Amino acid sequence: MILLTPESKVIVQGITGREGTFHAERMKEMGTRLVGGVSPGKGGGQHLEVPLFNTVAEAVAATGADATGIFVPPPFAADAIMEAAEAGLSLIVCITEGIPIQDMIRVKSYLKEFPRARLLGPNCPGLITPGVGKIGIIPAQISSPGAVGLVSRSGTLTYEAMAALTKAGLGQSTVVGIGGDPVLGLSFSDVAELFEHDSQTTHLVLIGEIGGSDEERAAERLRGTRLKVAAFISGRTAPEGKRMGHAGAIVSGNRGTAKSKVEAFQAVGIPVAETTDQIVELLKA
Amino acid sequence: MKLLEYQAKEVLQSFGLEIPPGRVARTPEEAAAAAREIGPVAVKAQVPVGGRGKAGGIKLAQTPEDAAVAAGQIIGMEIKGFRVPLVYCEGALDIKQEIYLGFTVDRDARANILMLSARGGMDIEAVAQETPDAISRLYPNPWRGPLDFEIRRLVFAAGLGDLVGPLTKVVRLLYRAIPERDALTAEINPLVVTGDGRVVAGDAKLETDENAAFRHKELEERYSTVIEGDQYEVEAKKRGLTYVSLDGDIGVIGNGAGLCMGTLDLVQRAGGEAANFCDIGGGAKAEVVKNALQVILMNPKVKGVLINVFGGITRADEVARGVVEARAALKMKLPLVVRLSGTNEEEGKRILRENGIEPGDNGWEAAQKIVELTR
């Protein structure tokens, strides 16, 4: 397992909101060590039988938390990420969708001061270590413990692949949704590398989609890996966006297309599934 | 939001950029009046998409009569799916040199990138491919913006040292679009150096971040109504749906962008063609399903609909009830295949069958089924 282990102590930022409450409860239900919540102005209270704090720093001092799940609304989410990093948390999972991209660019620059802090997301389903715990919104009932690592850019496709793996008797070590935004925390290659060094993990599934070139770089990183890997790319038939201006093309060139991603995986001997059901066949082959 | 050329110029002019004299025209008469005032003009289609020149959307007019004729030809034209609502009549420039200046978000670097090249104009993408060194680049610190010496370095690296003064000023003002308008891409191409040594924007493009619209209400109010996109996309946007029109005849609804894109792939693999991309999000509530179906059925080309939903947090039986309700409310007669999976899958499928809707076992099977039913 990676990132989220039985030792992880988790808080939720935005725990008193509707989404925060609902998902913090699901996290607790499956055994996640939820030690507190942050909700400015409600410090000193209790919610879901855990203590509430006004700031992340207070929560860390009182509980020894090392991980957080962020469920605060988009205008305030970037600040919440930076607060978590500054308070010394090492795993920051941001579920919030719709954060302004320039806010995230500033966050990424700020995080350079905190090399220990790993950001997952934003706009991601979070992660789950079956049998241990989860941070985020991945449904626990479709997971099962095992040796397959899964990393994905999409939410529902992740669930679909997990369900197929579970049905086929292939349990998962950890399932990680890195998120679909243009400016992200952990990349495919970062997560692939963590799985590479995790002794429990023997197989790896990567679910990518068009845009950016994280998949291409992950493929290169996985050259000669000890893991048995299968990939899937969605958006193969998506029409090219109605572009204006040349700046995007100057930066990305021909990278980022489904074709470029499929070829990158094939070039290092990683088979690419045509449908999500085929992923299981490729792992078992 | 992708601003039209005249809108982008208006924004950049408010930051201090020099632009040629120009007037917006909605009719040939207005175009003639603009030419009488300005002199010879370029009559330019205003659409939020590139490639309008090659599509016949830019015409030169020497006289007011020419301008009226050109405007009459261009207004109402369709360019890459956008009907041209108006033209921009702009005075001609005495061009000595064409420079490229732009910035965008470099996803891989997770940062903004500023780019400058002495070889501006239509062929800048080819320049980038063949001689990448002809474009100088700068990743400004997003907290403080580019510093003067960094901009000077950018300008000298592009071989434009003799223009270091005016270009530093233009780079600075273009960059203001990031902190002040949440711009994701801005481009001045060409940035024209005129015979008398002025630096003027020949064209301008500006795209702002929809996620940041909450802090730029004035931008939305002033500009968003002018842009007429695809009618179904406009309708979907009103209902808060993520929807993109495509060319085929099979309506597609999915929850989650990845799953939805994957479904388009499956439809094509099965020999069909999707009419749209429609992501109803993780929740997939009954009301949202109904809204999505309603928009899809507005398109007379649609011969059937495929719904592909994975119920994770949302239970599949709830989704099934939503679909049944929506179909009844809309009195939908076209073939409908629903693929439901995840939590309470069996109960969901039972509800669909009882109401005469064929459930698909997996995405691939469901895609084949809808293609068959719409043949």
Side-chain angles (χ1 to χ4, degrees):
Chain A
M1 64 189 77
I2 61 167
L3 297 167
L4 186 66
T5 69
E7 285 74 47
S8 305
K9 289 187 187 169
V10 181
I11 58 167
V12 166
Q13 289 167 260
I15 194 169
T16 53
R18 195 169 51 93
E19 295 287 311
T21 300
F22 179 83
H23 292 290
E25 238 176 336
R26 306 283 89 73
M27 284 162 60
K28 261 188 101 176
E29 259 169 29
M30 81 158 288
T32 314
R33 280 177 81 187
L34 186 72
V35 296
V38 175
S39 188
K42 294 185 181 151
Q46 288 256 326
H47 188 64
L48 307 176
E49 293 163 15
V50 295
L52 291 176
F53 302 92
N54 288 322
T55 67
V56 178
E58 278 170 32
V60 172
T63 65
D66 56 7
T68 180
I70 295 177
F71 289 90
V72 309
F76 317 109
D79 190 60
I81 296 171
M82 293 187 284
E83 183 184 5
E86 199 270 345
L89 296 181
S90 56
L91 177 61
I92 302 166
V93 180
C94 185
I95 308 303
T96 308
E97 177 180 357
I99 303 178
I101 291 172
Q102 293 299 342
D103 287 9
M104 280 311 302
I105 288 177
R106 283 189 282 272
V107 165
K108 289 294 289 184
S109 165
Y110 181 78
L111 290 184
K112 286 181 189 155
E113 292 173 40
F114 304 96
R116 247 171 49 84
R118 286 188 172 121
L119 170 66
L120 184 61
N123 187 16
C124 78
L127 81 170
I128 184 167
T129 298
V132 171
K134 70 167 182 170
I135 303 177
I137 63 176
I138 297 177
Q141 65 269 24
I142 51 171
S143 70
S144 59
V148 181
L150 196 160
V151 54
S152 166
R153 228 157 73 177
S154 141
T156 35
L157 273 182
T158 314
Y159 309 161
E160 178 133 32
M162 273 171 78
L165 289 169
T166 296
K167 207 167 157 188
L170 295 169
Q172 305 93 46
S173 54
T174 300
V175 174
V176 183
I178 62 171
D181 274 11
V183 177
L184 288 175
L186 290 176
S187 66
F188 268 109
S189 24
D190 295 334
V191 178
E193 181 133 332
L194 293 171
F195 278 124
E196 176 82 41
H197 295 112
D198 172 46
S199 58
Q200 184 198 336
T201 304
T202 57
H203 293 62
L204 177 62
V205 176
L206 295 115
I207 299 178
E209 62 188 40
I210 47 171
S213 58
D214 271 3
E215 288 85 351
E216 284 90 329
R217 288 190 295 176
E220 198 42 54
R221 186 76 66 96
L222 284 165
R223 191 187 283 276
T225 176
R226 66 173 181 88
L227 303 166
K228 186 161 172 110
V229 189
F232 177 80
I233 301 294
S234 88
R236 291 190 188 208
T237 56
E240 218 183 303
K242 289 166 185 160
R243 273 197 307 117
M244 61 184 297
H246 304 282
I250 296 172
V251 173
S252 60
N254 294 324
R255 292 168 300 150
T257 61
K259 186 164 171 277
S260 144
K261 291 172 195 301
V262 169
E263 284 171 2
F265 283 119
Q266 287 169 344
V268 297
I270 295 173
V272 181
E274 294 276 333
T275 67
T276 44
D277 296 310
Q278 250 188 34
I279 294 171
V280 171
E281 293 165 34
L282 291 177
L283 285 189
K284 285 190 159 175
Chain B
M1 182 171 51
K2 290 172 179 170
L3 299 193
L4 302 174
E5 176 195 4
Y6 84 91
Q7 299 170 336
K9 282 183 169 163
E10 204 168 272
V11 170
L12 295 176
Q13 189 185 31
S14 77
F15 294 155
L17 182 72
E18 186 178 343
I19 61 173
R23 293 282 176 277
V24 169
R26 288 182 167 76
T27 62
E29 294 72 38
E30 286 178 14
R36 262 193 294 277
E37 194 183 325
I38 298 168
V41 289
V43 181
K44 300 157 126 182
Q46 297 295 290
V47 278
V49 64
R52 61 184 173 165
K54 284 181 191 139
I58 298 179
K59 292 187 197 301
L60 297 176
Q62 292 301 324
T63 66
E65 292 69 36
D66 288 355
V69 171
Q73 288 166 343
I74 295 173
I75 294 170
M77 223 174 118
E78 193 168 306
I79 298 180
K80 295 188 182 171
F82 291 93
R83 204 189 65 81
V84 179
L86 46 87
V87 291
Y88 188 52
C89 303
E90 193 174 61
L93 284 172
D94 167 23
I95 298 173
K96 193 175 90 186
Q97 188 181 1
E98 292 189 326
I99 292 168
Y100 173 91
L101 172 64
F103 68 74
T104 191
V105 175
D106 181 343
R107 296 176 64 134
D108 293 331
R110 273 91 160 132
N112 295 306
I113 179 172
L114 269 165
M115 294 172 288
L116 179 69
S117 174
R119 292 166 61 185
M122 297 231 289
D123 299 326
I124 188 69
E125 284 183 38
V127 171
Q129 287 283 324
E130 287 150 25
T131 48
D133 288 346
I135 296 169
S136 65
R137 295 150 211 253
L138 166 63
Y139 290 95
N141 178 303
W143 292 96
R144 50 168 160 67
L147 301 176
D148 280 343
F149 77 86
E150 293 175 319
I151 300 176
R152 282 200 302 276
R153 202 152 58 193
L154 181 81
V155 173
F156 281 105
L160 291 164
D162 49 337
L163 290 166
V164 69
L167 282 180
T168 301
K169 191 176 150 235
V170 176
V171 171
R172 278 219 158 284
L173 67 88
L174 181 71
Y175 187 82
R176 281 177 60 184
I178 294 179
E180 295 180 33
R181 296 292 186 276
D182 271 282
L184 299 178
T185 298
E187 204 171 61
I188 307 173
N189 184 36
L191 178 63
V192 171
V193 183
T194 61
D196 55 1
R198 290 173 304 128
V199 177
V200 185
D203 191 2
K205 295 193 166 61
L206 188 61
E207 179 176 2
T208 60
D209 184 359
E210 311 253 348
N211 283 353
F214 66 87
R215 54 189 177 210
H216 302 289
K217 295 233 162 60
E218 71 302 332
L219 211 61
E220 189 86 11
E221 278 162 22
R222 189 168 169 82
Y223 297 129
S224 72
T225 52
V226 183
I227 301 167
E228 295 179 32
D230 174 277
Q231 55 169 317
Y232 310 117
E233 289 179 7
V234 171
E235 188 57 39
K237 197 178 170 192
K238 276 191 213 149
R239 296 164 188 243
L241 296 165
T242 308
Y243 176 101
V244 181
S245 280
L246 302 170
D247 295 330
D249 53 14
I250 296 173
V252 171
I253 297 175
N255 66 333
L259 179 65
C260 205
M261 274 198 291
T263 309
L264 302 183
D265 296 348
L266 291 174
V267 167
Q268 190 175 71
R269 196 162 180 257
E273 249 200 279
N276 69 280
F277 167 98
C278 183
D279 170 15
I280 53 170
K285 297 203 172 60
E287 189 59 29
V288 184
V289 176
K290 190 175 142 191
N291 265 324
L293 263 181
Q294 212 158 18
V295 172
I296 286 172
L297 295 177
M298 281 175 194
N299 180 354
K301 262 167 69 181
V302 169
K303 291 199 274 183
V305 179
L306 170 60
I307 301 181
N308 190 0
V309 168
F310 189 94
I313 303 288
T314 317
R315 301 194 320 263
D317 54 321
E318 280 178 42
V319 178
R321 282 192 197 95
V323 172
V324 169
E325 214 178 281
R327 192 180 65 145
L330 299 173
K331 301 190 174 64
M332 178 180 171
K333 297 279 189 302
L334 296 176
L336 172 67
V337 175
V338 181
R339 181 273 176 154
L340 268 181
S341 192
T343 314
N344 287 11
E345 179 178 323
E346 290 314 315
E347 174 68 5
K349 283 183 180 164
R350 192 185 59 74
I351 293 169
L352 290 178
R353 268 194 215 96
E354 275 177 5
N355 290 280
I357 300 171
E358 195 55 38
D361 260 340
N362 58 51
W364 172 226
E365 244 184 59
Q368 288 171 296
K369 204 171 279 178
I370 193 67
V371 169
E372 197 181 299
L373 288 172
T374 51
R375 275 252 160 82

